[in-house]
Amino acid sequence: MANLAWLKPARNKRGATTLIAAALAAPLALAAADARAQQPPIKIGVIVPTSGTFTANGEDALAGMRMYFDEIGNEIAGRKIQLIVEDDQGKPDVGLTKARKLVESDKVQMLAGFVSSAVTLAVSEYARDKKIPMIINADGGANELTIPGPLFNPTLVRFSQNGRTPSAAAAAFIYKQGWRKVATITSDFAGGFDTIGGFAQAFCKLGGTITQEQYPPLTTNDYGPYITNLDRSAEAVVTFLPGAGGLRFVKQFVELGLKDKYPMMDIFGQAVYEPNLPQLGDAALGIYSTLHYTPMIKTPENERFVKAYVERNKRLPSDNGPDGWAGAKGIAEAAKAVGGKVEDTEKFIAAMKGVKFASAKGDLSVDKYGQVIQAMYVRRTEKAGNDYVNVPIASYENVDQFWPFSLEEFESYKYRYAELKGSTTNCAKVLEKK
Amino acid sequence: MGRALLIALIGAAAFAVLPALLPSYYLGLVTKMMIFALFAMSLDLMVGYAGLASLGHAAFFGLGAYTVGLLIVRAHVSEWIAFPAGVLAATAGGALFAALALRARGSYLLMITLALAQVVWGIAFGWRTLTGGDDGLPGIPRPVYFISLAGETAFFYFVLLFTGISALLLAAIVRSPFGRALRGIRESETRMQALGFNVWRHQFTAFVIAAGFAGLAGCLYVYHNRFVSPDFLHVVVSAEALIMVILGGVGTLLGPAIGAALIIFLEDFISSQTQRWLLILGIIYVATTLYAPRGIIGLYKEYTARKKQR
């Protein structure tokens, strides 16, 4: 769900050169084959959008994956790694057709990538039937995929965030700041309800109250009415406005003179998404956001990652870059653990659920349901020289998918997030038990 | 007539042996082609024969699809009821839309159908608790009608059966006096009116029949994909269906079916080869409009006509 929009031109000129290189290298490879018995390659089908709204996310994840596999020489346990990339256009039926092609025609041993949650949900059904390992490492935040229930997929591991954890982190941070009453403004679509529902549940549990909820359509051009309508008794404003919405909102929030009076928490960092920052300029300063990554994290792992990423791609990574990298590393570690026998789905997935490693995002491990356990960062937009950046000011380590709840407590609530639209101001209903 | 029957029989036989020849992925792709062929043919009845241009045909495709999906996932109804209910819902939706839209003609009709379809899309997109919003409804199993249709081969025959019968029905409709009257209306409404034909009733009937077949295609597509999403209802799907009809040849039935198969194949094939596939597809569309304005069938007819002249 994070970081929508911003079309970037697709680029891939590798086709021809790879072919020539392959032709030249073929005799060499044959010679080398004598030394070691030739093993068939590990084929990974990567389904990401490389056209349409989510292009930037897909390309970042793919860049992260390629970076890791290049680091290890594109080989695991004596088997070459072969990536076959397909464009899902952000449409679930296209994604499914591509998954069928990859599995049935290209004979890939696993599927990876996935940005849009609709595509992820559609492919998950198919992958579960075919017992094909599915690695989500681009976005694909649908909560239900890793929670026991009808949509749960036992052969799936997600190395990117699920939908609700950045919301829970936002609630924890706001409460810690001493702000007890907040007003929310959320885009009117499925992802929006999941995000704000997750926030409401965590915030109510802590003892906070939502005094007002507003749902402007995704395509809103003028946020003026929503801003002037804002409940003045609120101590902070919580937003989830993907696409161009966040950008417009912040500009008008400043113009109407309210930004200095109300702290703003931007769940998932949609408004302060890095490509937006130059356009927002000083307007973005001081906005809080929560996400599982920011390029400004001060760890050796991240500094090395960011440097290599910028060298390769000539831009800063979004959260999808390290997600892609982490998924690739997860695949490699698990494949090593099973001696390269990735065809044994059960053992391979079991091994992947046991991986533990440090990454640009922080330390990662996987829970038994296949969701990565990782840090959540609270960031604040600041000025560094001439650039605007999201600086981490607080973090929550080892956040699992149900955090701050346990699975049992999480499942004991009566209403699912989407059902809470229109009643998040009523904490009694939000926290009603089954 | 004998020759047409022979061709139809040979065609059916050729399709029947496909599962033995094709690997499962390509069989799935042919299944998808057949579903969209049916969808494009239903639109051709409206556009090509009744002369009613529509940019909202995906609404009926989606109405059928969502009815099946909702009944199975939310209401746990038997597939024996859900499937016909889907077709019925699309037909009923067609009747409602026709009643509202048939006051307009030409580009105004395009706009009204587009607007009505967007309403349906808006409901599917916005009503999160019922329809799942933009995540759609996953988890719809392939049905069991006497035998399980979970396998690609069984499902292929299932779709072949429905598409085949529908194609024959549509062909019969356009050759019937009703179909001829439709073509008359397309050429000149006032003249047909003067001849005593009830123009509105003919157009209404054509609209509803087209909606019903589009709904059938939608129901089949749900089972094919095993999920529904608002994308099924999107204006892009309506526009794509129009392109299929135009590319194949307006008012030929066979043409739109070929157009549908070709576009599905090109989308799949080219997008696997290059990331610039949208550009290539665009060039093909432009080239068709410039050099084959009457579609593939038109091109073929011109070719045979020229050969005869010689």
Side-chain angles (χ1 to χ4, degrees), chain A residues 41-197:
Chain A
I42 295 177
K43 289 188 186 175
I44 305 172
V46 185
I47 300 182
V48 284
T50 52
S51 66
T53 320
F54 299 109
T55 305
N57 308 62
E59 292 193 340
D60 264 16
L62 193 56
M65 276 190 100
R66 288 217 162 105
M67 253 174 79
Y68 180 76
F69 285 134
D70 284 351
E71 277 171 36
I72 58 167
N74 286 299
E75 196 180 283
I76 310 169
R79 295 180 71 172
K80 283 264 165 227
I81 299 164
Q82 189 186 343
L83 293 187
I84 306 175
V85 182
E86 289 287 352
D87 178 12
D88 65 34
Q89 307 166 35
K91 296 180 191 161
D93 55 334
V94 177
L96 185 65
T97 307
K98 296 299 188 188
R100 285 189 173 130
K101 171 191 171 272
L102 289 167
V103 172
E104 292 168 30
S105 185
D106 296 331
K107 311 275 179 211
V108 300
Q109 285 103 15
M110 67 194 83
L111 296 168
F114 305 104
V115 173
S116 140
S117 39
V119 173
T120 317
L121 286 164
V123 175
S124 170
E125 289 284 309
Y126 171 78
R128 190 171 59 178
D129 275 6
K130 292 271 171 185
K131 297 203 167 47
I132 292 286
M134 180 160 161
I135 294 97
I136 306 180
N137 62 341
D139 240 331
N143 292 325
E144 300 89 338
L145 287 169
T146 51
I147 299 175
L151 298 180
F152 176 69
N153 181 347
T155 55
L156 176 151
V157 177
R158 175 160 49 202
F159 285 93
S160 39
Q161 84 295 340
N162 75 343
R164 64 169 293 282
T165 37
S167 306
F173 178 75
I174 288 175
Y175 194 82
K176 208 182 83 195
Q177 296 294 102
W179 304 324
R180 296 290 181 269
K181 289 191 285 181
V182 301
T184 64
I185 301 184
T186 315
S187 287
D188 193 3
F189 79 116
F193 312 145
D194 277 358
T195 304
I196 217 64

